[in-house]
């Protein structure tokens, strides 16, 4: 029987690394479209992290691949977030849609940030609301 004291005993106490996906809310993408854009950002930013910061990538994978999906209100905000991340040397990937379904070709839809140390990711995305 689990008691109040040990109910979370098997959960990690803190995550040292995380990845953030930031989606543009102003585009009003369908749920499916938003999910796919977040996936593009996550996979591509992971590939960048694996090349640029292999130790960050390995540590993030080993501790459970923490992710969060956040919202930006405009393309300008997304680009500003990318600049902050690059300045901190965090691997990123800016997603541009191919235009096959809901959006015109080349529409910037999402930004993948990290995986990177959680405190660095928070310097870029810590004030954003959940998507």
């Amino acid at each position: 029987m689990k008691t109040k004291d040990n109910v979370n005993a098997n959960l990690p106490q803190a995550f040292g690394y995380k990845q953030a996906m930031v989606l543009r809310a102003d585009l009003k993408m369908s749920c499916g479209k938003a999910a796919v854009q977040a996936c593009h950002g996550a996979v591509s930013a992971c590939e960048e992290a694996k090349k640029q910061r292999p130790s960050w990538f390995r540590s993030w994978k080993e501790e459970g691949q923490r992710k969060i999906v956040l919202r930006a209100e405009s393309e300008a905000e997304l680009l500003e977030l990318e600049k902050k991340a690059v300045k901190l040397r965090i691997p990123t990937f800016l997603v541009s849609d191919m235009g096959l379904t809901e959006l015109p070709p080349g529409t910037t839809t999402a930004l993948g940030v990290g995986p990177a140390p959680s405190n660095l990711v928070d310097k870029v995305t810590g004030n954003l609301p959940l998507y």
Side-chain angles (χ1 to χ4, degrees):
M1 179 170 105
K2 290 186 179 180
T3 66
K4 191 174 186 178
D5 292 332
N6 71 4
V7 76
N8 291 322
N10 294 329
L11 296 177
Q13 296 304 310
F15 287 93
Y17 296 83
K18 69 179 169 184
Q19 183 181 46
M21 268 56 63
V22 186
L23 299 174
R24 282 181 56 192
D26 62 312
L27 296 175
K28 301 194 184 332
M29 295 178 277
S30 68
C31 291
K33 183 68 168 179
V36 168
Q37 298 306 298
C39 289
H40 287 319
V43 170
S44 297
C46 277
E47 289 174 347
E48 290 301 313
K50 194 172 184 179
K51 287 187 282 188
Q52 296 174 21
R53 300 288 193 157
S55 65
W56 290 0
F57 177 78
R58 279 191 308 276
S59 294
W60 171 76
K61 285 206 43 146
E62 288 169 3
E63 69 178 26
Q65 303 176 36
R66 182 180 189 201
K67 297 172 195 70
I68 189 167
V69 182
L70 305 164
R71 65 185 285 147
E73 298 303 326
S74 67
E75 181 179 27
E77 184 179 10
L78 206 64
L79 296 175
E80 190 58 37
L81 294 167
E82 181 191 31
K83 283 182 191 174
K84 285 182 184 179
V86 168
K87 188 173 181 178
L88 293 169
R89 302 183 65 209
I90 299 172
T92 64
F93 189 85
L94 199 58
V95 180
S96 294
D97 194 68
M98 290 185 65
L100 301 176
T101 56
E102 298 177 17
L103 301 169
T107 301
T108 302
T109 58
L111 173 66
V113 179
S118 294
N119 65 321
L120 288 181
V121 175
D122 288 344
K123 287 181 181 183
V124 178
T125 64
N127 65 333
L128 298 176
L130 294 172
Y131 186 81

